[in-house]
Amino acid sequence: MSYAAYKMMHPPTGIENCASGFITQCSADFVPQIPTIQPDELESDWPSTRSIGPVPNLVVSAANVLEVYVVRVQDDGSRDSKASTEIKRGGLMAGVSGASLELVCDYRLHGNVETMAILSIGGGDGGRRRDSIILTFEDAKIAALEFDDSIHGLRTSSMHCFEGPEWFHLKRGRESFARGPLVKVDPQGRCGGVLVYGLQMIILKAAQAGAGLVGDDEAFGSEGAISARIESSYIINLRDLDMKHVKDFIFLHGYIEPVMVILQEREITWAGRVSWKHHTCRLSALSISTSLKQHPLIWSAVNLPHDAYKLLAVPSPIGGVLVICANTIHYHSQSASCILALNNYAVPVDSSQEMPRASFNVELDAANATWLSSDVAMLSTKTGELLLLMLVYDGRVVKRLDLSKSKASVLTSGITTVGNSFFFLGSFLGDSLLVQFTYGMGSSMLSSGLKEEVGDIEGDAPTAKRLRRSPSDVFQDLVNGEELSLYGSTPSNAESSQKTFSFAVRDSLINIGPLKDFSYGLRINADPNAVGIAKQSNYELVCCSGHGKNGALCVLQQSIRPETITEVELPGCKGMWTVYHKSTRSHNPDSSKIASEDDEYHAYLIISLEARTMVLETADLLGEVTESVDYYVQGSTIAAGNLFGRRRVVQVYGRGARILDGAFMTQDLSFGASNSDSTTGSDSSTVASVSIADPYVLLRMTDGSIQLLVGDTSTCTVSVSIPPVFDSSKKPVSACTLYHDKGPEPWLRKASTDAWLSTGIGEAIDGSDNSPHDQGDIYCVVCYESGDLEIFDVPNFSSVFSVEKMSGKNNLIDTIMRKDSAEEGRKVNTQNMNVVELAMQRWSGQHSRPFLFAILSDGTILCYHAYLFEGQETASRIDSSGQNSVNLSSISASRLRNLRFVRVSLDTYAREENSTGNYYNKRITIFKNVGGHQGLFLSGSRPTWFMVFRERLRVHPQLCDGSIVAFTVLHNVNCNHGLIYVTSQGLLKICQLPSATSYDNYWPVQKIPLKGTPHQVTYFAEKNLYPLIVSVPVLKPLSHVLSSLVDQEAGHQIEHDNVSSDDTYTVDEFEVRILEPEKSGAPWQTRATIPMQNLENALTVRVVTLFNTTTKENETLLAIGTAYLQGEDVAGRGRVLLFSVGRNTDNNPQNLISEVYSKELKGAISALASLQGHLLIASGPKIILHKWNGTELNGVAFFDVPPLYVVSLNTVKNFILLGDIHKSIYFLSWKEQGAQLNLLAKDFGALDCLATEFLIDGSTLSLMVSDEQKNIQVFYYAPKMSESWKGQKLLSRAEFHVGSRVSKFLRLQMLPTTDTLGSDKTNRFALLFGTLDGSMGCIAPLDELTFRRLQSLQKKLVDAVSHVAGLNPRSFRQFRANGKAHKPGPDSIVDCELLCHYEMLALEEQLEIAHQIGTTRQQILSNLNDLSLGTSFL
């Protein structure tokens, strides 16, 4: 491997930062919701004034991913009769039936977000201004982002960088710093502060309300939603203020000027001195005057404990600051202070002082906190418990602090309050939760529905059945079933009566990180006969993720594999449709009719073959009824669907159409040339594509003309009309579709300024019940062969929206609205780039917006998401542009002038090379409900599911059957909300989607909760078992733990005088569980467990193949390496255990595994591997090779490498790669003749390894290593090169900064693609890796020609793409040495994270860049596609 590509396949999911603010709209935009109060509730002391006020946006970051969400609240009295029938997750609370997160925009940045803050505007101007996001990046980069309505995304408003030669003096000679930049913002939005390089404080001065930057005002909408901006910045050197170790800082509430409180430690203490020197921290409050750049000290507080680490500013009207320490909580303000001790380790400053204690013991050494109200803070501890801290105050003086227990929840990495009724628990170790809270005074609030919801707030394993569960399952039982409400520990005081809180989980975001280890195994429904790329979907990744009670096994599958119900042979299929048949007799009332519409069964399945059409009845069994129905069955069908509220079926074939009522034809139409010469038929054109939107059918003929069938709802008949817009003189149409804009309120009506009434359909469609509800509007979307797009309203066919040359633009804006710029650059030959298929759809959901899909003739898919933008220039532009001969103002009244489309990236989709001729098969099938999901299915040679969750597209390929020629949904008795598809081999399969899998993730995932921390997993292929190391925290008496730490032989005794009897200590107890996957989605079964001894940690578990020297046969055994943790006074020991896995015939777990060998060795056994039938053991500071004779292991060779602790061990043939925790990697070989282990070469640098693996490319062997600084390096062994010091030193082949800590590599053979079939590169392997952020990626070798091409493209894209937050992709990928000496290696890895932006460029720019680097767009896309195909491992 001389050259490689780095590809991120699953972006990170572990949330590190979360914040909330009014990013996409200002707080004044909200309509206040007044909760409906039933008359009988008026007497209760429910705080009737408290309604859900404006709900701000939620901003989260996970490594380099930034996402902005909006919280959608469904109130109880919703007009939607369908929505109120199902109980949303979490039940009903405070008049809210549900709330969910909906994605506004998401970005993958070229840099990891270190910290994040929201710069808000003090509410002086009635909440008309918006907030901005401030992000900080390593080492000292700051970017401010604001939401721009015109592009429906974030744009950078300012960038501040304090790196590089002119800022070297800020580092004062230091190279590495304990943490990255830390940003905090003044609550009133006057300034922000960023702490960089340990002691440099950067003050960011916010722009004042009136003073926008010059020339920026016209960019804003007419209502003038201006976002907060940063005007200037300057630096305060805290060293000049005699500060040393700054731990945290914060801005206080309620001061006229911004006041910053800094928590610092003047003299550092250490463990051996703590009993004498324990109160070393102090607070300093500085008043920041941004105009004078002065910062006088206004008050300070000394003698804070050494373990203080976090500040929390108390909101107005109280003010002041809370200092959170591991064992105490302190409150300080200018006038008062008080303290609360949390456990027995809290030490007063002097022994005379008496400290108030909390009613229970807790340690707060890694807590996160947020404010639920102005005097109640919620803390989340390191065990995931939620505590409520109440400030008991009188006036503005805090009397004391009260701490009470609440629920248990996920282990958080950050909490933020979202509005006045929600908070968000962001988690790096588990799923993040959105929780609604409400509080009342006293206890009357716990009325009917909340009593049973006792226990934890847990994001449980996401199943499809979650919505149908009773709300109480979301919570799990607490230890002693405490009441859900929490009371303060004392009766009412200066306050009114104490507050009672209730919680309800409303939504959760899936997280699969941190991935500690994974193994690659077969799926349950694997197909043993599959070949090629379809064989890959036989496999799945089983990953160890999460920690503690959030620990889980994540089963990841890159591709969807439906569960087959039945399959039959059906050669020559061209298309399939299922249709409903509703008789006119249905007189049921309106509400039940709507509710049952989803559950109505299909009546007929129509299958179009090459020369005939089959019709099947979809009752209990699929029975063919082709002979007994009036369908057109003599030739193939183009399309079929329902009209007139499902009372009629329309079937369109090449030369005509039929309308049927059930099995009987009611009308027959034929089109084409005039009827006289239709018998010859050679010159007449036939139907090419059909789009149906009740009651219209749009036909595109093969000659590019358009015909419309207009239905008459009263008589249930249709008539043919040719819209005047599409006379034959006009430009030919390449694709067209109908879009039915329906729902409670049609969405596109908001896009034209005046809500003009529905066209055409005045009365309801279903004549039988006169329902008054709106049927919505119908539009026709057309693409011409010139590449222009136009939207007409139906049936008038007046143009309401048009775009010239849509292909690939990032934003589509109505042509009348655009300033005509000189766009005509180099005339590009785009004749071969027609749009061949269009689809526009708005899926259900109260706030959903339509998606527009277009397939180009070269196989590229463009996806656009509609949004609204009301610009100022609407009116002025229309009056000025009088160059069109028509009176524009009359036309523009009905134009969708506020409609825009933003391009959605589909970089996970590998496009198919289209080689078909002019006959084009329709590929897009829209589905409303397949297994409870909605989206569209794309058939063809790379079939793919596009599912819509939270207004975001999730793209999941389906590889298991190869190419798919036809697809349709099927809902009947035996196949509930399932699907039918026909493969190109002529197999018809009726399937359902696996229900246990969650698809709202980058890859489909199934989480299996373990209630413990998983550490390592391996796959036992012969029996399809997964042995797994799990540790569960157990509370033990402290005296018991201490006595077991003593060295038994030496016979020391420990003095028990200072240990009280009730002290407990948490110890991790380890075991190896052997799990077996169950059939399809059931929870996995634990077949056996192997418990470890007291204080013994299992470190590694591997399946090894050993050569039995007695029987001369290979045996497959399970090997476990352990270590005893007994403190630093006892010499380290470990055990190696060998188990055989037997035939599990009688399901008795004792017979499944049996221990065949166990031996205690010196040193921890941290890694095991089998090497040519021998067992290689890394035992403490040496590695030993053992032979196996069936009863015991005998050492045959050893090598004293000087490592401290072996992290990973890999073997290939007789080569060994060994990674050390501190001393980089060693490369050894084993010689059978002299029975010796030889060191071939090593890396002389000091590298903290995390994972290692061999990379094989043809006949070259490379060594891959990942390190603690989030880099990867590739080394190679070249003894003939002079710089390798006669072969002692490994040479660097490539280095790259991943941005996440890679914890495991897995070597997988790359799949053959088109260009590799004939070449010698068939023995090519790629490395799949998992990281601690929850991301997956791969490193794949490239040949030199492809590498050079992609590298020159990458250099172009650094400048050609506008990067979010102004980050430079080249600097992000530089090796980070963190101050250690490092000689830079060659730049031989291309970054696909940057290359995937190429497809998102407009077509002209793509062709221009390809031309500049001397290649073609086709060639570049083909290379990127081959890389995607070659690494489709799952």
Side-chain angles (χ1 to χ4, degrees):
M1 188 226 78
S2 305
Y3 307 102
Y6 158 83
K7 186 172 165 54
M8 176 73 78
M9 301 162 83
H10 182 299
T13 55
I15 291 178
E16 291 166 336
N17 300 295
C18 56
S20 70
F22 292 97
I23 309 293
T24 59
Q25 70 275 323
C26 40
S27 55
D29 293 350
F30 281 89
V31 186
Q33 300 176 347
I34 295 151
T36 51
I37 297 178
Q38 309 300 327
D40 58 335
E41 289 181 7
L42 283 172
E43 290 76 52
S44 72
D45 43 5
W46 174 278
S48 57
T49 52
R50 177 183 155 79
S51 67
I52 292 197
V55 183
N57 297 88
L58 174 69
V59 189
V60 299
S61 79
N64 64 332
V65 173
L66 179 73
E67 296 175 328
V68 181
Y69 290 95
V70 59
V71 179
R72 296 290 188 201
V73 180
Q74 289 96 31
D75 48 342
D76 186 26
S78 65
R79 300 169 305 286
D80 219 352
S81 58
K82 214 185 310 185
S84 55
T85 53
E86 54 178 280
I87 290 286
K88 291 285 195 305
R89 179 177 186 185
L92 191 67
M93 172 190 277
V96 172
S97 62
S100 58
L101 294 170
E102 181 186 295
L103 186 76
V104 180
C105 52
D106 67 317
Y107 298 99
R108 304 216 298 261
L109 311 175
H110 298 290
N112 288 359
V113 179
E114 287 295 313
T115 52
M116 172 166 73
I118 302 291
L119 179 65
S120 63
I121 291 289
D125 45 1
R128 291 239 52 98
R129 302 185 55 177
R130 296 188 184 170
D131 305 341
S132 297
I133 307 171
I134 301 182
L135 304 175
T136 65
F137 303 91
E138 290 273 344
D139 286 325
K141 298 185 197 67
I142 305 157
L145 304 175
E146 62 188 36
F147 188 76
D148 185 354
D149 288 307
S150 60
I151 59 169
H152 199 74
L154 297 175
R155 72 163 181 200
T156 313
S157 63
S158 65
M159 302 186 311
H160 314 263
C161 182
F162 296 90
E163 298 174 13
E166 67 270 37
W167 297 106
F168 272 167
H169 63 278
L170 296 182
K171 292 187 176 187
R172 296 182 59 94
R174 284 187 63 180
E175 281 297 332
S176 69
F177 294 90
R179 65 167 170 212
L182 175 68
V183 58
K184 298 283 171 74
V185 169
D186 176 44
Q188 289 160 36
R190 294 165 295 193
C191 71
V194 185
L195 182 68
V196 297
Y197 301 135
L199 283 171
Q200 305 289 341
M201 179 68 71
I202 299 163
I203 300 291
L204 307 170
K205 182 183 176 185
Q208 287 311 305
L213 297 173
V214 187
D216 242 3
D217 302 332
E218 74 273 2
F220 292 109
S222 47
E223 71 270 16
I226 305 174
S227 302
R229 297 264 176 96
I230 294 174
E231 190 181 89
S232 59
S233 65
Y234 65 96
I235 298 180
I236 303 175
N237 185 352
L238 299 181
R239 199 177 267 100
D240 301 344
L241 303 178
D242 197 24
M243 295 195 186
K244 289 202 174 137
H245 307 275
V246 174
K247 294 183 154 194
D248 197 12
F249 73 99
I250 202 140
F251 287 91
L252 294 191
H253 291 259
Y255 281 86
I256 297 170
E257 272 197 319
V259 169
M260 174 196 285
V261 172
I262 298 178
L263 172 67
Q264 47 141 343
E265 193 168 12
R266 292 297 294 275
E267 320 167 38
I268 285 191
T269 181
W270 63 286
R273 289 283 296 167
V274 162
S275 48
W276 292 274
K277 185 171 166 189
H278 38 70
H279 283 70
T280 53
C281 291
R282 56 166 39 199
L283 292 180
S284 309
L286 310 177
S287 174
I288 307 286
S289 165
T290 50
S291 48
L292 301 173
K293 299 192 180 179
Q294 289 177 350
H295 34 271
L297 179 75
I298 54 174
W299 58 269
S300 63
V302 293
N303 284 344
L304 286 163
H306 68 94
D307 50 17
Y309 64 96
K310 198 187 209 73
L311 297 178
L312 206 59
V314 182
S316 301
I318 306 174
V321 63
L322 282 177
V323 187
I324 300 177
C325 317
N327 308 311
T328 48
I329 299 178
H330 302 252
Y331 169 81
H332 281 281
S333 71
Q334 203 157 348
S335 53
S337 70
C338 59
I339 182 171
L340 180 69
L342 304 172
N343 54 39
N344 302 336
Y345 301 111
V347 185
V349 182
D350 48 5
S351 52
S352 62
Q353 192 181 358
E354 186 57 41
M355 289 196 292
R357 292 193 173 275
S359 54
F360 54 94
N361 280 353
V362 66
E363 293 172 19
L364 277 189
D365 49 349
N368 290 297
T370 188
W371 291 96
L372 297 189
S373 70
S374 63
D375 58 340
V376 180
M378 185 172 72
L379 305 166
S380 152
T381 68
K382 60 183 175 183
T383 58
E385 281 185 295
L386 297 182
L387 310 176
L388 291 179
L389 179 69
M390 232 161 274
L391 274 64
V392 182
Y393 64 98
D394 191 359
R396 291 188 62 171
V397 180
V398 174
K399 292 278 199 272
R400 64 164 201 278
L401 307 172
D402 268 351
L403 193 67
S404 52
K405 281 194 182 187
S406 175
K407 296 297 196 44
S409 180
V410 302
L411 307 172
T412 59
S413 60
I415 316 183
T416 179
T417 311
V418 186
N420 65 0
S421 300
F422 296 94
F423 59 85
F424 178 77
L425 301 168
S427 176
F428 189 76
L429 303 170
D431 293 351
S432 303
L433 305 177
L434 176 73
V435 184
Q436 183 188 352
F437 67 92
T438 172
Y439 55 84
M441 304 298 171
S443 58
S444 64
M445 222 207 74
L446 281 179
S447 55
S448 57
L450 289 168
K451 270 282 197 283
E452 73 262 16
E453 299 190 75
V454 178
D456 297 3
I457 305 182
E458 284 291 7
D460 39 12
T463 63
K465 307 180 187 58
R466 186 165 65 200
L467 293 177
R468 296 189 281 281
R469 271 197 285 197
S470 66
S472 56
D473 311 4
V474 180
F475 297 94
Q476 290 154 353
D477 293 329
L478 210 59
V479 198
N480 51 2
E482 291 173 41
E483 188 65 287
L484 174 77
S485 61
L486 8 117
Y487 301 104
S489 51
T490 56
S492 60
N493 41 41
E495 289 272 297
S496 58
S497 62
Q498 68 285 49
K499 296 185 175 171
T500 12
F501 280 83
S502 333
F503 301 111
V505 178
R506 290 303 189 190
D507 204 351
S508 60
L509 299 178
I510 294 179
N511 168 24
I512 64 163
L515 295 175
K516 302 196 185 74
D517 188 30
F518 58 83
S519 64
Y520 186 69
L522 276 179
R523 298 191 193 182
I524 301 161
N525 54 357
D527 171 20
N529 308 322
V531 289
I533 202 158
K535 186 178 174 187
Q536 295 307 312
S537 73
N538 282 344
Y539 296 99
E540 61 192 6
L541 279 187
V542 177
C543 314
C544 295
S545 76
H547 180 83
K549 63 179 183 188
N550 299 131
L553 272 189
C554 285
V555 184
L556 285 173
Q557 308 172 343
Q558 201 177 350
S559 59
I560 289 181
R561 191 183 184 93
E563 292 168 358
T564 309
I565 297 175
T566 174
E567 56 178 70
V568 287
E569 295 238 351
L570 183 76
C573 175
K574 285 272 178 275
M576 281 192 305
W577 301 269
T578 42
V579 291
Y580 300 97
H581 170 234
K582 178 187 295 180
S583 60
T584 46
R585 295 185 300 278
S586 60
H587 284 289
N588 49 358
D590 173 55
S591 59
S592 61
K593 174 185 155 307
I594 291 186
S596 64
E597 196 162 277
D598 265 359
D599 287 330
E600 187 185 340
Y601 287 156
H602 287 105
Y604 293 103
L605 168 66
I606 301 159
I607 300 178
S608 166
L609 306 173
E610 279 166 9
R612 64 191 185 94
T613 295
M614 285 169 65
V615 183
L616 288 84
E617 233 174 357
T618 58
D620 301 356
L621 302 165
L622 291 182
E624 188 171 350
V625 291
T626 312
E627 304 304 318
S628 58
V629 290
D630 293 344
Y631 282 85
Y632 172 79
V633 294
Q634 292 80 25
S636 61
T637 302
I638 308 287
N642 283 94
L643 286 184
F644 310 122
R646 298 187 177 172
R647 284 180 297 160
R648 295 283 185 275
V649 176
V650 57
Q651 179 199 16
V652 183
Y653 50 95
R655 303 201 172 276
R658 290 188 180 184
I659 307 292
L660 299 105
D661 181 357
F664 308 107
M665 178 165 73
T666 59
Q667 192 181 358
D668 196 356
L669 301 163
S670 63
F671 356 98
S674 60
N675 288 336
S676 58
D677 59 1
S678 66
T679 49
T680 61
S682 56
D683 53 349
S684 68
S685 66
T686 58
V687 178
S689 74
V690 182
S691 174
I692 303 174
D694 193 2
Y696 299 102
V697 182
L698 183 73
L699 312 170
R700 184 175 69 83
M701 315 305 266
T702 44
D703 61 358
S705 62
I706 297 285
Q707 299 197 9
L708 182 74
L709 307 186
V710 183
D712 179 355
T713 47
S714 51
T715 61
C716 289
T717 55
V718 297
S719 51
V720 183
S721 74
I722 296 182
V725 191
F726 303 117
D727 284 343
S728 50
S729 59
K730 288 289 175 81
K731 35 191 184 174
V733 171
S734 69
C736 60
T737 185
L738 288 179
Y739 166 59
H740 192 170
D741 192 29
K742 53 175 183 283
E745 38 191 44
W747 189 84
L748 279 179
R749 285 192 202 170
K750 308 175 196 163
S752 83
T753 38
D754 37 6
W756 38 284
L757 290 166
S758 158
T759 50
I761 332 159
E763 75 280 0
I765 287 180
D766 221 345
S768 56
D769 53 276
N770 42 9
S771 53
H773 63 268
D774 196 344
Q775 288 301 333
D777 314 317
I778 294 184
Y779 297 89
C780 172
V781 188
V782 175
C783 255
Y784 300 106
E785 293 195 350
S786 59
D788 300 350
L789 171 105
E790 200 157 4
I791 301 181
F792 301 94
D793 68 331
V794 180
N796 308 335
F797 278 92
S798 55
S799 170
V800 291
F801 184 83
S802 59
V803 175
E804 294 171 5
K805 295 266 186 294
M806 74 170 275
S807 55
K809 282 181 186 164
N810 266 341
N811 289 76
L812 304 183
I813 304 172
D814 195 355
T815 321
I816 291 192
M817 306 294 308
R818 304 242 352 250
K819 309 179 178 64
D820 285 330
S821 55
E823 285 181 33
E824 298 307 313
R826 195 164 59 89
K827 255 304 180 196
V828 181
N829 174 26
T830 58
Q831 300 312 312
N832 53 352
M833 289 291 291
N834 289 341
V835 173
V836 290
E837 187 173 351
L838 273 174
M840 185 165 171
Q841 175 70 18
R842 176 179 170 224
W843 283 278
S844 66
Q846 207 179 347
H847 300 275
S848 61
R849 315 194 307 274
F851 282 95
L852 174 68
F853 292 88
I855 303 184
L856 302 184
S857 51
D858 70 339
T860 311
I861 296 185
L862 306 178
C863 168
Y864 289 93
H865 203 171
Y867 65 97
L868 297 178
F869 173 67
E870 291 190 41
Q872 274 177 325
E873 65 270 13
T874 10
S876 57
R877 167 102 343 131
I878 288 159
D879 303 341
S880 62
S881 54
Q883 71 269 24
N884 297 32
S885 52
V886 206
N887 179 2
L888 267 171
S889 58
S890 66
I891 294 187
S892 67
S894 64
R895 282 193 84 91
L896 306 175
R897 65 177 79 160
N898 297 333
L899 173 67
R900 295 193 176 189
F901 290 91
V902 61
R903 175 108 181 260
V904 180
S905 162
L906 299 176
D907 61 345
T908 47
Y909 172 73
R911 33 182 230 124
E912 64 181 76
E913 308 294 332
N914 239 7
S915 53
T916 50
N918 42 12
Y919 174 69
Y920 178 76
N921 216 351
K922 188 167 173 347
R923 286 176 57 195
I924 293 179
T925 311
I926 286 168
F927 57 87
K928 303 270 178 46
N929 186 348
V930 172
H933 304 294
Q934 50 186 15
L936 63 89
F937 183 83
L938 189 71
S939 51
S941 64
R942 286 196 51 80
T944 308
W945 295 81
F946 293 78
M947 295 185 182
V948 181
F949 298 92
R950 318 176 187 282
E951 286 300 281
R952 142 187 234 160
L953 274 186
R954 296 292 197 182
V955 183
H956 301 309
Q958 176 177 325
L959 310 171
C960 55
D961 293 293
S963 176
I964 287 181
V965 291
F967 170 94
T968 187
V969 295
L970 172 68
H971 178 46
N972 72 0
V973 183
N974 300 321
C975 178
N976 203 345
H977 293 301
L979 54 131
I980 309 183
Y981 59 87
V982 179
T983 69
S984 52
Q985 276 79 42
L987 269 183
L988 177 141
K989 292 194 174 189
I990 302 180
C991 306
Q992 281 178 310
L993 280 184
S995 59
T997 309
S998 172
Y999 298 99
D1000 183 17
N1001 186 33
Y1002 301 100
W1003 290 359
V1005 60
Q1006 179 190 352
K1007 278 190 116 168
I1008 297 145
L1010 296 170
K1011 297 280 176 255
T1013 308
H1015 294 275
Q1016 219 178 47
V1017 63
T1018 183
Y1019 179 56
F1020 201 95
E1022 295 173 18
K1023 309 275 189 306
N1024 197 29
L1025 299 171
Y1026 288 94
L1028 161 81
I1029 298 178
V1030 183
S1031 69
V1032 182
V1034 179
L1035 276 174
K1036 291 200 168 175
L1038 189 56
S1039 52
H1040 181 221
V1041 177
L1042 287 175
S1043 59
S1044 60
L1045 287 179
V1046 181
D1047 199 343
Q1048 256 64 36
E1049 295 96 52
H1052 290 299
Q1053 274 306 311
I1054 197 157
E1055 296 81 24
H1056 288 299
D1057 11 326
N1058 54 356
V1059 178
S1060 68
S1061 56
D1062 57 347
D1063 275 359
T1064 55
Y1065 186 76
T1066 309
V1067 182
D1068 280 334
E1069 289 200 344
F1070 280 77
E1071 64 187 23
V1072 175
R1073 289 185 202 167
I1074 299 193
L1075 297 179
E1076 181 174 20
E1078 276 297 297
K1079 292 282 170 280
S1080 155
W1084 288 21
Q1085 297 299 316
T1086 306
R1087 288 279 170 243
T1089 54
I1090 306 168
M1092 296 294 121
Q1093 295 177 2
N1094 191 17
L1095 293 178
E1096 182 182 28
N1097 287 16
L1099 298 178
T1100 178
V1101 57
R1102 288 285 174 253
V1103 174
V1104 292
T1105 305
L1106 301 184
F1107 181 71
N1108 187 333
T1109 52
T1110 322
T1111 62
K1112 303 281 187 253
E1113 286 175 353
N1114 280 336
E1115 290 181 27
T1116 304
L1117 300 172
L1118 184 66
I1120 301 171
T1122 75
Y1124 289 99
L1125 242 66
Q1126 293 178 297
E1128 55 189 21
D1129 301 329
V1130 185
R1133 298 173 298 137
R1135 285 196 305 162
V1136 58
L1137 308 167
L1138 294 181
F1139 287 84
S1140 71
V1141 181
R1143 301 256 172 273
N1144 192 10
T1145 47
D1146 49 356
N1147 270 354
N1148 186 356
Q1150 268 61 46
N1151 306 349
L1152 176 63
I1153 54 165
S1154 52
E1155 183 177 312
V1156 291
Y1157 181 73
S1158 112
K1159 181 184 183 184
E1160 194 171 289
L1161 298 168
K1162 285 182 184 167
I1165 310 235
S1166 56
L1168 298 162
S1170 53
L1171 177 70
Q1172 295 182 337
H1174 299 63
L1175 182 63
L1176 188 63
I1177 297 177
S1179 143
K1182 60 170 68 173
I1183 58 170
I1184 313 169
L1185 194 67
H1186 291 81
K1187 261 197 180 105
W1188 170 244
N1189 64 8
T1191 54
E1192 59 177 358
L1193 289 172
N1194 294 317
V1196 288
F1198 73 95
F1199 189 80
D1200 274 334
V1201 246
L1204 309 168
Y1205 180 87
V1206 177
V1207 177
S1208 71
L1209 204 55
N1210 311 98
T1211 59
V1212 160
K1213 292 187 175 169
N1214 62 331
F1215 295 113
I1216 304 164
L1217 171 61
L1218 178 145
D1220 183 69
I1221 196 162
H1222 222 57
K1223 297 278 185 199
S1224 199
I1225 58 173
Y1226 294 80
F1227 184 43
L1228 299 98
S1229 74
W1230 152 247
K1231 284 204 177 67
E1232 188 86 56
Q1233 298 95 313
Q1236 63 195 99
L1237 288 169
N1238 293 330
L1239 177 67
L1240 295 176
K1242 66 175 186 176
D1243 171 30
F1244 283 80
L1247 197 68
D1248 301 347
C1249 297
L1250 291 179
T1252 59
E1253 185 55 272
F1254 286 105
L1255 181 54
I1256 299 171
D1257 178 22
S1259 56
T1260 58
L1261 185 69
S1262 311
L1263 318 174
M1264 173 77 76
V1265 56
S1266 71
D1267 64 42
E1268 181 70 26
Q1269 300 301 323
K1270 308 182 180 182
N1271 309 303
I1272 54 173
Q1273 278 173 283
V1274 186
F1275 290 98
Y1276 67 109
Y1277 175 58
K1280 297 197 171 69
M1281 309 256 302
S1282 58
E1283 59 263 42
S1284 74
W1285 302 350
K1286 296 186 179 170
Q1288 294 176 56
K1289 184 180 178 195
L1290 290 170
L1291 299 177
S1292 172
R1293 188 163 263 166
E1295 58 184 30
F1296 191 81
H1297 184 71
V1298 176
S1300 304
R1301 292 191 175 94
V1302 175
S1303 56
K1304 161 90 176 193
F1305 289 108
L1306 177 69
R1307 187 174 66 244
L1308 294 171
Q1309 185 149 7
M1310 286 182 74
L1311 306 172
T1313 50
T1314 45
D1315 61 341
T1316 57
L1317 286 175
S1319 72
D1320 57 340
K1321 288 291 184 188
T1322 47
N1323 188 28
R1324 203 165 236 197
F1325 287 81
L1327 291 184
L1328 185 70
F1329 61 79
T1331 73
L1332 296 183
D1333 295 330
S1335 56
M1336 313 266 327
C1338 74
I1339 305 282
L1342 293 176
D1343 51 276
E1344 184 169 2
L1345 188 66
T1346 311
F1347 170 77
R1348 297 278 179 234
R1349 181 181 298 125
L1350 293 180
Q1351 191 186 36
S1352 43
L1353 171 65
Q1354 178 177 308
K1355 287 175 178 160
K1356 283 276 181 232
L1357 288 178
V1358 172
D1359 301 326
V1361 180
S1362 63
H1363 303 291
V1364 186
L1367 292 163
N1368 185 342
R1370 281 189 60 195
S1371 75
F1372 179 43
R1373 297 307 183 186
Q1374 293 294 317
F1375 186 90
R1376 306 280 160 93
N1378 198 24
K1380 292 181 183 166
H1382 176 77
K1383 181 179 165 218
D1387 178 21
S1388 318
I1389 297 185
V1390 289
D1391 178 16
C1392 290
E1393 282 289 271
L1394 179 56
L1395 296 175
C1396 70
H1397 286 284
Y1398 179 72
E1399 277 193 272
M1400 288 295 288
L1401 293 172
L1403 185 64
E1404 291 79 27
E1405 295 174 53
Q1406 290 186 25
L1407 295 161
E1408 178 68 38
I1409 288 179
H1411 181 73
Q1412 286 173 0
I1413 61 175
T1415 180
T1416 61
R1417 170 180 181 272
Q1418 198 61 39
Q1419 182 71 57
I1420 291 171
L1421 292 180
S1422 159
N1423 285 154
L1424 293 174
N1425 212 25
D1426 282 343
L1427 194 58
S1428 284
L1429 290 175
T1431 55
S1432 308
F1433 297 123
L1434 299 167

